[in-house]
Structures are given as C-alpha cells and as structure tokens.
Amino acid sequence: MRKLLVILAALALCLPLALAEDKTVTTFDFESGVPGQFIQSGSAKPTVSTDVAHSGASSLHVTGRSGNNWDAVDLNAAAMGIKTGVPAKITAWVYVDSDEAGTFVIAKSDGDYATLGSVSCPGRTWTQLTADFDLNQPVNLRFQNSYDSTGWNNAEYYLDDVVVEVGQAEESTEPPIDYKSDFSAGTDGWYARSGGGAALSVTGDGALLITGRTATWNSPGRDFALVTGKPYKISVWVKQDQLKDPILMVSIAHTRDGSESYENLGTVVAKQGEWCLIECSYVAGRYDKNVLYVEGAGAETDFMIKDFTIAEDIKTYGKEGLPSLKEVYADKFDFGTAVIPMELLDEERMAFYKTQFAIFTPGNEMKPDYLLNPSQSKIAIKKTGDQTSVKVSFDTCIPLLTWARDNGVKVHGHTLVWHSQTPEEFFHEDYSVNKPLVSREVMLARMESYIQQVLEWTEEHFPGVIVSWDVVNEAAADSGRKLRDSLWTQVVGDDFINRAFEYARKYAAPGTLLFYNDYNSEIPLKALVTRDIMDSLLADGTVDGFGFQSHYTVGSTNLFQVKVALKEMAKRTRQDGSPLLLRVSELDVGIAANDEANWKKQADFYRELFELYEQYVGQLIAVHTWGTVDDLSWRADKFPLLFDADVQPKPAFYALVE
Ligand code: 9MR
C-alpha cells in the first residue's frame, strides 16, 4: 500500500469539484501480500494471490462465495477516512473468473445498499470500475457483482490497483437546527407540494391542514438547511378522519445538481380520527436543498400535522468529566474490554472507549473461523500434495490492530486453539469434510503451522500490539474430571493443549504472555479440571496465566465459589518461581430486567467482585468486560455490562469508580 498526500492544483480540471483540494490518495496494489483495509463479507474469503494481476504480480482474490452477491469484500470506509459527507472517489480494476459477462458494482454495505459505481464487464478480462460519491450513512463499501448478475454469485473474482481518493468535508457555518413548528401566526414556512390543487390552512388548535390533494405525494413541506453528515431526529403528530387506517409518512426530497430524489424516513398507521406520532431519524447527505414533508394515505385524503420537530441528534459518549476505569485501576491492573467491528466503525465511540479501557480483545475476529482459510488451504494441498498445508487470512483483524497501533493501546489475542468456531475442514484430509480425519501427526503439523503464522504475522505487521494470547480456550468438560470431547481430543489426544502451548511459546515474541482461558471455572468439579490443566502446563513451563471468563448472573452465580476458585488458582507458581498470572477475561453480570432495582443488585455484585479482585493486585494483571454497552453484548437480553445502549454509565460503572 502506498500512501501519498497530493495537493492537486494543476489536475483540478480533471477531477470533480469536491475533490479538487487537499486529498489523501491510497493505492492498494497488493504487492506487499496483505489485503489492507479489505474485509470479508458473507462467506467470502479475500486473500492476496499471484494467479492473475492487473499490474505487478499480485491481486486480491475473493473466494469462498456461496451463491450470494454479498459474499464479497468490503473496504473499511471509516478506516480510510470516508465518513458521511466526505467526497471520495474510487477506481479499481476487476477480473471476474467466469465465462459469462455481467455487471460489477461498488455499493453501500448497509443502509439503502445504494450502488455508487458500476461497470459491465466480460468474463476473465480486467475492467476498470469507478465510483464518485459521498456517504450519507456510516457504512462500508462493498465490491460485488450486481443483484441481477446472478450468474456471478458463485464466481471468484480479483481486484487490483484500487485507488482511493478522499477529500475534505465542507465545514458548515449554519447554526445547529432545533426547530418546532408554530402555526399560531401562519404556516411557519410550510407550503403545499402539489401540481397546484392542494392548499394549506391553519386550524384553530395549532395544526396545519392540507386539502385539495390529488396524489399521495401532495403534502405539507418545508425547506431545512441540513448539514451534510449530521444526524437529525424528527417527530410529528398527524391526524386524518376519512380512511380507516392508512399510512402517513415523513419523507425528504433532496436536490443535488438540479436533480431531485426522495427517501421515506418514518411511517405510522394513522388511525381514523386519532392524533398519531411519527418519529424518525436521518443523516443528511450532500445536497443543495432539503425539503421535509408528510405524505401518504389516499390520494385525496385531507390530513393535519402539528408539533413538527427536528433537531440535531447530538450523540454524547459517556458524560463530561466521567471518571475513567483505566485510570482508577491503573496501579492495580489493566481494565479492558472486547470490541466488535461495528463499534470500530464509529470513531467517536472508539475515542470514548480509549478513555475508559487500557486493553482491547477482538470479540470474534481472531478466532480460527476468521483467520483460517480452508478453501486456500485446500488449493494448496491440491498443488503440493502436502497435507500439512495451512493458509490463513488476516483481513478481519486488521481494523482493530490498526486502530490499537495508531492509538497506542494494547490487544489481548483471542483465541488460537478452540473446539468451537473452528472450521471442521481443518481436521479432515484435503480439508474436505467427506474425507477421513487426518492423523495425529498431520494435525499437529497443521496446528503448529497455524499458530506460527498467526503469531509471526501479527508481530511482523503490528509489532508489540498483541501483548498476550488465549492459547487454548474452553478445553475442560462441563461435567466430570476430564477434558471436553472435541475434534482436538479425537484427532490429537488430550495433550493437544500441551502441544498448543509448546508451539505458541516457540513462535511468540519474547515477553508475550500465554493464557489458558475457560468459563464456569468456579463450579467445583470444573475448577478441579482447570487446575489439572494448569498443573500440566506449569510442569511443561509453557504457560503464564489462567483466564477466568466470568460470565456471571445476579441470583445464580455463587460468589463464594468464585472466591475459592481464585484462591486455589492463585496458589500456583510458574517454573521460575514467580506466581501464576491471573486474568478476568470476559466479565459480564446478567440481570433479570433492565430496571433500577436490578441495576442496583448488579452494581452490588460488581462491587463485591472487585473487592475480591483487589486482593490479588500484582498477580491479577487484567480485568476485561466482554463488551462495553448492553445492546451489543452477546447477552443483550441480560443487560450485563457497565454502559447502557446509549453509551451512558450504569450504576455498576459508578460502583467501580467510586
Ligand atoms: O462474543 C462472542 C459472540 O459474538 C459469538 O457469537 C460467540 C460465538 O461462539 O462467541 C462470543 O464470545 C465467546 C468467547 O469467544 C469465548 N467465551 C464465551 C464468549 C461468549 O459466547
């Protein structure tokens, strides 16, 4: 990837106006062997390949597509600085491995999925594609075949020489909008949108009435000076008396370069004779003119509106002057959290998380099902006949690792070896589930190769960022003093754990801390098994610490058991005589309902836990919650975290900082 800052004056004539200023140009030619900011969508697997190239030797190869046009690659827009309202232009060369011709597009990955650029191309021919746009929603940019080119839904494709030009957002001089309609003295700037027949009048009770409509789009409308990229919340009360339960809706008509386009923002079933509320939100796109209006019902239905409001939806992350978890606990242990890609797309959110947390764990993106590439591994075996071949792709974890590196925060890697979220093909001959399981020797070679590649690639590309790893996750059985039965125990045997740590130690950068991680390790019998596992690893001298996942629930988790489990584990020492390190790796505390009484119980539970943790300062090196906000938790229905869905601190947060 080459990155240049280009001041373009001489070239201004060849570029769209919005880009003819300072802009950042990034070229992805894939010669360095990494997919850069391209991440997988659906079942697709993007890897760098030398099969074909538009220039140089390499291109980005998209395989593993399973019949959907969205099995594709996304360019991480936020990471490229392509935020709402920022003018951008992408040119790319595409080569679709198919006999058929079709249409290839760059489209929004979410929201209205709008196509931003398209090109028709013959099969197996490098064709140039251009998209010139700005986003009105925070989404990624998907490189895929169009919806109607269904013949390409399984076709592999290649991208090369992708040039991304990002300009500057226009600074607004408009004061923030905070409008509420007032029809006490007239129509307050509202006018009738129609071919001429419809008319507005103010009713005695502060409402605006539209009559004389001849089409459903005939409507009361008003111009608003919306600022590109800003989010707005909108509400209006509507009432009609003529139909049983028609739909009324808030829409926007926006005009750019003389052409008008429309979006429906919110609807309500307008029950006959009742005032009904429509609430909606909108992120302003880059338009010269914006008209908000209320439309729908029957073509000739009269209706009324009142109390129309629109205001900037100012998102506040946390609160002014909020204490910081990482600062409060700085001299005790690292306070950490897990993050998911959606959170990473939101820069302000991440900026807030950075004030609260010292270490981050990828919620999913470094698990074997994300990093292992079975289809490429399969191809490698076909080419070489070597059953020990393992191919990995790192696209999914690049955004987090890049953010962590750029922001100087640490990452805890999760997880190298696990029975779950690991492609079954990994354990079979030719990476084919129809073929027999491989031998122990082949599996150990695959395991070693996988661990080596993951540890070496991350250290080479993001030196020092990952300070610790969960090497093996959840190997203890849920009942009985034994290991969980899994493909790992079946193919390798019970020592798969010891071998995983042996390889991890061999390839990890010096000083990287290696953990065994498990859940329910406070339940007496399971606690015994986790201690058996640790004793065996301590005898080998390959392990640094134990991770208590700590997925708890108020009312059912027994804190006394948690206390005993910590005490027993903490007694252990490593071969050099130093204490075994401890980590609380995935803490969350579920409650029965999202109400004050339960928040208080949750706060008390967290407080008691942390009083316990403080007894192990020095040995307990990190406490991570498994996520930050309730709505994005894997247990969202149990509201288990320290911040609510609006990223506001809950009583449990205050219990920990006060
Ligand atoms: O938080 C993860 C969730 O998004 C995934 O759907 C789930 C799938 O297994 O994994 C979750 O994380 C798990 C972690 O990797 C290991 N301990 C249990 C966590 C919660 O399931």
Side-chain angles (χ1 to χ4, degrees), residues 198-219:
L200 299 187
S201 57
V202 175
T203 66
D205 52 357
L208 189 66
L209 171 70
I210 183 163
T211 53
R213 301 169 75 226
T214 54
T216 55
W217 65 269
N218 288 179
S219 51

mmCIF file with all atom_site columns, all heavy atoms in Angstrom, residues 198-219:
data_model
loop_
_atom_site.group_PDB
_atom_site.id
_atom_site.type_symbol
_atom_site.label_atom_id
_atom_site.label_alt_id
_atom_site.label_comp_id
_atom_site.label_asym_id
_atom_site.label_entity_id
_atom_site.label_seq_id
_atom_site.pdbx_PDB_ins_code
_atom_site.Cartn_x
_atom_site.Cartn_y
_atom_site.Cartn_z
_atom_site.occupancy
_atom_site.B_iso_or_equiv
_atom_site.pdbx_formal_charge
_atom_site.auth_seq_id
_atom_site.auth_comp_id
_atom_site.auth_asym_id
_atom_site.auth_atom_id
_atom_site.pdbx_PDB_model_num
ATOM 1   N N   . ALA A 1 198 ? -53.517 21.458 -4.285 1.00 0.00 ? 198 ALA A N   1
ATOM 2   C CA  . ALA A 1 198 ? -53.554 21.364 -2.823 1.00 0.00 ? 198 ALA A CA  1
ATOM 3   C C   . ALA A 1 198 ? -53.281 22.704 -2.164 1.00 0.00 ? 198 ALA A C   1
ATOM 4   O O   . ALA A 1 198 ? -52.594 23.551 -2.735 1.00 0.00 ? 198 ALA A O   1
ATOM 5   C CB  . ALA A 1 198 ? -52.530 20.338 -2.353 1.00 0.00 ? 198 ALA A CB  1
ATOM 6   N N   . ALA A 1 199 ? -53.860 22.862 -0.955 1.00 0.00 ? 199 ALA A N   1
ATOM 7   C CA  . ALA A 1 199 ? -53.661 24.126 -0.239 1.00 0.00 ? 199 ALA A CA  1
ATOM 8   C C   . ALA A 1 199 ? -53.523 23.858 1.253  1.00 0.00 ? 199 ALA A C   1
ATOM 9   O O   . ALA A 1 199 ? -54.056 22.875 1.774  1.00 0.00 ? 199 ALA A O   1
ATOM 10  C CB  . ALA A 1 199 ? -54.857 25.039 -0.487 1.00 0.00 ? 199 ALA A CB  1
ATOM 11  N N   . LEU A 1 200 ? -52.785 24.739 1.946  1.00 0.00 ? 200 LEU A N   1
ATOM 12  C CA  . LEU A 1 200 ? -52.605 24.608 3.395  1.00 0.00 ? 200 LEU A CA  1
ATOM 13  C C   . LEU A 1 200 ? -53.416 25.669 4.111  1.00 0.00 ? 200 LEU A C   1
ATOM 14  O O   . LEU A 1 200 ? -53.535 26.791 3.629  1.00 0.00 ? 200 LEU A O   1
ATOM 15  C CB  . LEU A 1 200 ? -51.132 24.821 3.780  1.00 0.00 ? 200 LEU A CB  1
ATOM 16  C CG  . LEU A 1 200 ? -50.095 23.874 3.210  1.00 0.00 ? 200 LEU A CG  1
ATOM 17  C CD1 . LEU A 1 200 ? -48.732 24.161 3.848  1.00 0.00 ? 200 LEU A CD1 1
ATOM 18  C CD2 . LEU A 1 200 ? -50.481 22.422 3.478  1.00 0.00 ? 200 LEU A CD2 1
ATOM 19  N N   . SER A 1 201 ? -53.931 25.312 5.282  1.00 0.00 ? 201 SER A N   1
ATOM 20  C CA  . SER A 1 201 ? -54.555 26.330 6.123  1.00 0.00 ? 201 SER A CA  1
ATOM 21  C C   . SER A 1 201 ? -54.281 25.970 7.582  1.00 0.00 ? 201 SER A C   1
ATOM 22  O O   . SER A 1 201 ? -54.033 24.811 7.916  1.00 0.00 ? 201 SER A O   1
ATOM 23  C CB  . SER A 1 201 ? -56.060 26.385 5.861  1.00 0.00 ? 201 SER A CB  1
ATOM 24  O OG  . SER A 1 201 ? -56.613 25.101 6.081  1.00 0.00 ? 201 SER A OG  1
ATOM 25  N N   . VAL A 1 202 ? -54.289 26.973 8.423  1.00 0.00 ? 202 VAL A N   1
ATOM 26  C CA  . VAL A 1 202 ? -54.009 26.764 9.834  1.00 0.00 ? 202 VAL A CA  1
ATOM 27  C C   . VAL A 1 202 ? -55.336 26.579 10.556 1.00 0.00 ? 202 VAL A C   1
ATOM 28  O O   . VAL A 1 202 ? -56.271 27.348 10.343 1.00 0.00 ? 202 VAL A O   1
ATOM 29  C CB  . VAL A 1 202 ? -53.241 27.979 10.395 1.00 0.00 ? 202 VAL A CB  1
ATOM 30  C CG1 . VAL A 1 202 ? -53.054 27.844 11.896 1.00 0.00 ? 202 VAL A CG1 1
ATOM 31  C CG2 . VAL A 1 202 ? -51.899 28.113 9.692  1.00 0.00 ? 202 VAL A CG2 1
ATOM 32  N N   . THR A 1 203 ? -55.420 25.525 11.374 1.00 0.00 ? 203 THR A N   1
ATOM 33  C CA  . THR A 1 203 ? -56.675 25.292 12.090 1.00 0.00 ? 203 THR A CA  1
ATOM 34  C C   . THR A 1 203 ? -56.600 26.003 13.439 1.00 0.00 ? 203 THR A C   1
ATOM 35  O O   . THR A 1 203 ? -55.519 26.358 13.894 1.00 0.00 ? 203 THR A O   1
ATOM 36  C CB  . THR A 1 203 ? -56.915 23.789 12.335 1.00 0.00 ? 203 THR A CB  1
ATOM 37  O OG1 . THR A 1 203 ? -55.907 23.346 13.230 1.00 0.00 ? 203 THR A OG1 1
ATOM 38  C CG2 . THR A 1 203 ? -56.868 23.006 11.043 1.00 0.00 ? 203 THR A CG2 1
ATOM 39  N N   . GLY A 1 204 ? -57.745 26.134 14.089 1.00 0.00 ? 204 GLY A N   1
ATOM 40  C CA  . GLY A 1 204 ? -57.806 26.861 15.355 1.00 0.00 ? 204 GLY A CA  1
ATOM 41  C C   . GLY A 1 204 ? -56.917 26.266 16.430 1.00 0.00 ? 204 GLY A C   1
ATOM 42  O O   . GLY A 1 204 ? -56.362 26.980 17.251 1.00 0.00 ? 204 GLY A O   1
ATOM 43  N N   . ASP A 1 205 ? -56.720 24.918 16.411 1.00 0.00 ? 205 ASP A N   1
ATOM 44  C CA  . ASP A 1 205 ? -55.987 24.292 17.518 1.00 0.00 ? 205 ASP A CA  1
ATOM 45  C C   . ASP A 1 205 ? -54.498 24.081 17.221 1.00 0.00 ? 205 ASP A C   1
ATOM 46  O O   . ASP A 1 205 ? -53.888 23.106 17.654 1.00 0.00 ? 205 ASP A O   1
ATOM 47  C CB  . ASP A 1 205 ? -56.664 22.969 17.896 1.00 0.00 ? 205 ASP A CB  1
ATOM 48  C CG  . ASP A 1 205 ? -56.863 22.081 16.669 1.00 0.00 ? 205 ASP A CG  1
ATOM 49  O OD1 . ASP A 1 205 ? -56.534 22.534 15.539 1.00 0.00 ? 205 ASP A OD1 1
ATOM 50  O OD2 . ASP A 1 205 ? -57.337 20.948 16.826 1.00 0.00 ? 205 ASP A OD2 1
ATOM 51  N N   . GLY A 1 206 ? -53.906 24.972 16.450 1.00 0.00 ? 206 GLY A N   1
ATOM 52  C CA  . GLY A 1 206 ? -52.449 24.943 16.249 1.00 0.00 ? 206 GLY A CA  1
ATOM 53  C C   . GLY A 1 206 ? -51.975 23.855 15.308 1.00 0.00 ? 206 GLY A C   1
ATOM 54  O O   . GLY A 1 206 ? -50.835 23.419 15.392 1.00 0.00 ? 206 GLY A O   1
ATOM 55  N N   . ALA A 1 207 ? -52.846 23.389 14.399 1.00 0.00 ? 207 ALA A N   1
ATOM 56  C CA  . ALA A 1 207 ? -52.434 22.374 13.432 1.00 0.00 ? 207 ALA A CA  1
ATOM 57  C C   . ALA A 1 207 ? -52.471 22.968 12.030 1.00 0.00 ? 207 ALA A C   1
ATOM 58  O O   . ALA A 1 207 ? -53.042 24.041 11.800 1.00 0.00 ? 207 ALA A O   1
ATOM 59  C CB  . ALA A 1 207 ? -53.360 21.165 13.530 1.00 0.00 ? 207 ALA A CB  1
ATOM 60  N N   . LEU A 1 208 ? -51.841 22.234 11.098 1.00 0.00 ? 208 LEU A N   1
ATOM 61  C CA  . LEU A 1 208 ? -51.807 22.677 9.715  1.00 0.00 ? 208 LEU A CA  1
ATOM 62  C C   . LEU A 1 208 ? -52.597 21.650 8.896  1.00 0.00 ? 208 LEU A C   1
ATOM 63  O O   . LEU A 1 208 ? -52.312 20.449 8.982  1.00 0.00 ? 208 LEU A O   1
ATOM 64  C CB  . LEU A 1 208 ? -50.339 22.708 9.262  1.00 0.00 ? 208 LEU A CB  1
ATOM 65  C CG  . LEU A 1 208 ? -49.998 23.326 7.932  1.00 0.00 ? 208 LEU A CG  1
ATOM 66  C CD1 . LEU A 1 208 ? -50.288 24.840 7.973  1.00 0.00 ? 208 LEU A CD1 1
ATOM 67  C CD2 . LEU A 1 208 ? -48.498 23.116 7.635  1.00 0.00 ? 208 LEU A CD2 1
ATOM 68  N N   . LEU A 1 209 ? -53.552 22.097 8.127  1.00 0.00 ? 209 LEU A N   1
ATOM 69  C CA  . LEU A 1 209 ? -54.429 21.190 7.379  1.00 0.00 ? 209 LEU A CA  1
ATOM 70  C C   . LEU A 1 209 ? -54.110 21.275 5.897  1.00 0.00 ? 209 LEU A C   1
ATOM 71  O O   . LEU A 1 209 ? -53.917 22.369 5.357  1.00 0.00 ? 209 LEU A O   1
ATOM 72  C CB  . LEU A 1 209 ? -55.889 21.615 7.615  1.00 0.00 ? 209 LEU A CB  1
ATOM 73  C CG  . LEU A 1 209 ? -56.968 20.948 6.761  1.00 0.00 ? 209 LEU A CG  1
ATOM 74  C CD1 . LEU A 1 209 ? -57.144 19.472 7.149  1.00 0.00 ? 209 LEU A CD1 1
ATOM 75  C CD2 . LEU A 1 209 ? -58.308 21.692 6.892  1.00 0.00 ? 209 LEU A CD2 1
ATOM 76  N N   . ILE A 1 210 ? -54.023 20.099 5.231  1.00 0.00 ? 210 ILE A N   1
ATOM 77  C CA  . ILE A 1 210 ? -53.862 20.104 3.772  1.00 0.00 ? 210 ILE A CA  1
ATOM 78  C C   . ILE A 1 210 ? -55.148 19.574 3.140  1.00 0.00 ? 210 ILE A C   1
ATOM 79  O O   . ILE A 1 210 ? -55.686 18.540 3.556  1.00 0.00 ? 210 ILE A O   1
ATOM 80  C CB  . ILE A 1 210 ? -52.612 19.305 3.307  1.00 0.00 ? 210 ILE A CB  1
ATOM 81  C CG1 . ILE A 1 210 ? -52.472 19.412 1.785  1.00 0.00 ? 210 ILE A CG1 1
ATOM 82  C CG2 . ILE A 1 210 ? -52.620 17.861 3.770  1.00 0.00 ? 210 ILE A CG2 1
ATOM 83  C CD1 . ILE A 1 210 ? -51.111 19.048 1.242  1.00 0.00 ? 210 ILE A CD1 1
ATOM 84  N N   . THR A 1 211 ? -55.643 20.294 2.135  1.00 0.00 ? 211 THR A N   1
ATOM 85  C CA  . THR A 1 211 ? -56.859 19.894 1.411  1.00 0.00 ? 211 THR A CA  1
ATOM 86  C C   . THR A 1 211 ? -56.587 19.988 -0.089 1.00 0.00 ? 211 THR A C   1
ATOM 87  O O   . THR A 1 211 ? -55.538 20.502 -0.498 1.00 0.00 ? 211 THR A O   1
ATOM 88  C CB  . THR A 1 211 ? -58.035 20.832 1.755  1.00 0.00 ? 211 THR A CB  1
ATOM 89  O OG1 . THR A 1 211 ? -57.591 22.169 1.532  1.00 0.00 ? 211 THR A OG1 1
ATOM 90  C CG2 . THR A 1 211 ? -58.492 20.699 3.192  1.00 0.00 ? 211 THR A CG2 1
ATOM 91  N N   . GLY A 1 212 ? -57.499 19.447 -0.879 1.00 0.00 ? 212 GLY A N   1
ATOM 92  C CA  . GLY A 1 212 ? -57.399 19.568 -2.339 1.00 0.00 ? 212 GLY A CA  1
ATOM 93  C C   . GLY A 1 212 ? -56.315 18.700 -2.952 1.00 0.00 ? 212 GLY A C   1
ATOM 94  O O   . GLY A 1 212 ? -55.810 18.972 -4.040 1.00 0.00 ? 212 GLY A O   1
ATOM 95  N N   . ARG A 1 213 ? -55.928 17.593 -2.237 1.00 0.00 ? 213 ARG A N   1
ATOM 96  C CA  . ARG A 1 213 ? -54.861 16.727 -2.759 1.00 0.00 ? 213 ARG A CA  1
ATOM 97  C C   . ARG A 1 213 ? -55.394 15.884 -3.922 1.00 0.00 ? 213 ARG A C   1
ATOM 98  O O   . ARG A 1 213 ? -56.568 15.502 -3.933 1.00 0.00 ? 213 ARG A O   1
ATOM 99  C CB  . ARG A 1 213 ? -54.333 15.793 -1.667 1.00 0.00 ? 213 ARG A CB  1
ATOM 100 C CG  . ARG A 1 213 ? -53.769 16.516 -0.466 1.00 0.00 ? 213 ARG A CG  1
ATOM 101 C CD  . ARG A 1 213 ? -53.512 15.553 0.696  1.00 0.00 ? 213 ARG A CD  1
ATOM 102 N NE  . ARG A 1 213 ? -52.327 14.724 0.483  1.00 0.00 ? 213 ARG A NE  1
ATOM 103 C CZ  . ARG A 1 213 ? -52.268 13.422 0.679  1.00 0.00 ? 213 ARG A CZ  1
ATOM 104 N NH1 . ARG A 1 213 ? -53.351 12.775 1.091  1.00 0.00 ? 213 ARG A NH1 1
ATOM 105 N NH2 . ARG A 1 213 ? -51.162 12.756 0.474  1.00 0.00 ? 213 ARG A NH2 1
ATOM 106 N N   . THR A 1 214 ? -54.518 15.546 -4.891 1.00 0.00 ? 214 THR A N   1
ATOM 107 C CA  . THR A 1 214 ? -54.919 14.662 -5.988 1.00 0.00 ? 214 THR A CA  1
ATOM 108 C C   . THR A 1 214 ? -53.924 13.514 -6.158 1.00 0.00 ? 214 THR A C   1
ATOM 109 O O   . THR A 1 214 ? -54.064 12.677 -7.042 1.00 0.00 ? 214 THR A O   1
ATOM 110 C CB  . THR A 1 214 ? -54.996 15.447 -7.313 1.00 0.00 ? 214 THR A CB  1
ATOM 111 O OG1 . THR A 1 214 ? -53.745 16.099 -7.515 1.00 0.00 ? 214 THR A OG1 1
ATOM 112 C CG2 . THR A 1 214 ? -56.117 16.479 -7.290 1.00 0.00 ? 214 THR A CG2 1
ATOM 113 N N   . ALA A 1 215 ? -52.873 13.489 -5.333 1.00 0.00 ? 215 ALA A N   1
ATOM 114 C CA  . ALA A 1 215 ? -51.888 12.397 -5.394 1.00 0.00 ? 215 ALA A CA  1
ATOM 115 C C   . ALA A 1 215 ? -51.317 12.205 -3.995 1.00 0.00 ? 215 ALA A C   1
ATOM 116 O O   . ALA A 1 215 ? -51.297 13.147 -3.197 1.00 0.00 ? 215 ALA A O   1
ATOM 117 C CB  . ALA A 1 215 ? -50.754 12.747 -6.365 1.00 0.00 ? 215 ALA A CB  1
ATOM 118 N N   . THR A 1 216 ? -50.824 10.974 -3.699 1.00 0.00 ? 216 THR A N   1
ATOM 119 C CA  . THR A 1 216 ? -50.358 10.709 -2.325 1.00 0.00 ? 216 THR A CA  1
ATOM 120 C C   . THR A 1 216 ? -49.131 11.548 -1.967 1.00 0.00 ? 216 THR A C   1
ATOM 121 O O   . THR A 1 216 ? -48.857 11.769 -0.798 1.00 0.00 ? 216 THR A O   1
ATOM 122 C CB  . THR A 1 216 ? -50.024 9.222  -2.116 1.00 0.00 ? 216 THR A CB  1
ATOM 123 O OG1 . THR A 1 216 ? -49.081 8.845  -3.107 1.00 0.00 ? 216 THR A OG1 1
ATOM 124 C CG2 . THR A 1 216 ? -51.264 8.357  -2.219 1.00 0.00 ? 216 THR A CG2 1
ATOM 125 N N   . TRP A 1 217 ? -48.386 12.020 -2.975 1.00 0.00 ? 217 TRP A N   1
ATOM 126 C CA  . TRP A 1 217 ? -47.200 12.830 -2.653 1.00 0.00 ? 217 TRP A CA  1
ATOM 127 C C   . TRP A 1 217 ? -47.556 14.292 -2.375 1.00 0.00 ? 217 TRP A C   1
ATOM 128 O O   . TRP A 1 217 ? -46.721 15.048 -1.895 1.00 0.00 ? 217 TRP A O   1
ATOM 129 C CB  . TRP A 1 217 ? -46.138 12.748 -3.763 1.00 0.00 ? 217 TRP A CB  1
ATOM 130 C CG  . TRP A 1 217 ? -46.571 13.349 -5.088 1.00 0.00 ? 217 TRP A CG  1
ATOM 131 C CD1 . TRP A 1 217 ? -47.177 12.700 -6.103 1.00 0.00 ? 217 TRP A CD1 1
ATOM 132 C CD2 . TRP A 1 217 ? -46.433 14.709 -5.501 1.00 0.00 ? 217 TRP A CD2 1
ATOM 133 N NE1 . TRP A 1 217 ? -47.442 13.551 -7.145 1.00 0.00 ? 217 TRP A NE1 1
ATOM 134 C CE2 . TRP A 1 217 ? -46.983 14.796 -6.803 1.00 0.00 ? 217 TRP A CE2 1
ATOM 135 C CE3 . TRP A 1 217 ? -45.896 15.869 -4.927 1.00 0.00 ? 217 TRP A CE3 1
ATOM 136 C CZ2 . TRP A 1 217 ? -47.026 15.991 -7.531 1.00 0.00 ? 217 TRP A CZ2 1
ATOM 137 C CZ3 . TRP A 1 217 ? -45.929 17.058 -5.650 1.00 0.00 ? 217 TRP A CZ3 1
ATOM 138 C CH2 . TRP A 1 217 ? -46.496 17.114 -6.941 1.00 0.00 ? 217 TRP A CH2 1
ATOM 139 N N   . ASN A 1 218 ? -48.792 14.692 -2.668 1.00 0.00 ? 218 ASN A N   1
ATOM 140 C CA  . ASN A 1 218 ? -49.217 16.069 -2.355 1.00 0.00 ? 218 ASN A CA  1
ATOM 141 C C   . ASN A 1 218 ? -49.120 16.215 -0.837 1.00 0.00 ? 218 ASN A C   1
ATOM 142 O O   . ASN A 1 218 ? -49.727 15.427 -0.091 1.00 0.00 ? 218 ASN A O   1
ATOM 143 C CB  . ASN A 1 218 ? -50.640 16.315 -2.808 1.00 0.00 ? 218 ASN A CB  1
ATOM 144 C CG  . ASN A 1 218 ? -50.774 16.405 -4.328 1.00 0.00 ? 218 ASN A CG  1
ATOM 145 O OD1 . ASN A 1 218 ? -51.860 16.590 -4.860 1.00 0.00 ? 218 ASN A OD1 1
ATOM 146 N ND2 . ASN A 1 218 ? -49.672 16.241 -5.050 1.00 0.00 ? 218 ASN A ND2 1
ATOM 147 N N   . SER A 1 219 ? -48.423 17.248 -0.373 1.00 0.00 ? 219 SER A N   1
ATOM 148 C CA  . SER A 1 219 ? -48.058 17.237 1.048  1.00 0.00 ? 219 SER A CA  1
ATOM 149 C C   . SER A 1 219 ? -47.710 18.624 1.562  1.00 0.00 ? 219 SER A C   1
ATOM 150 O O   . SER A 1 219 ? -47.319 19.497 0.790  1.00 0.00 ? 219 SER A O   1
ATOM 151 C CB  . SER A 1 219 ? -46.823 16.343 1.215  1.00 0.00 ? 219 SER A CB  1
ATOM 152 O OG  . SER A 1 219 ? -45.827 16.743 0.277  1.00 0.00 ? 219 SER A OG  1
#
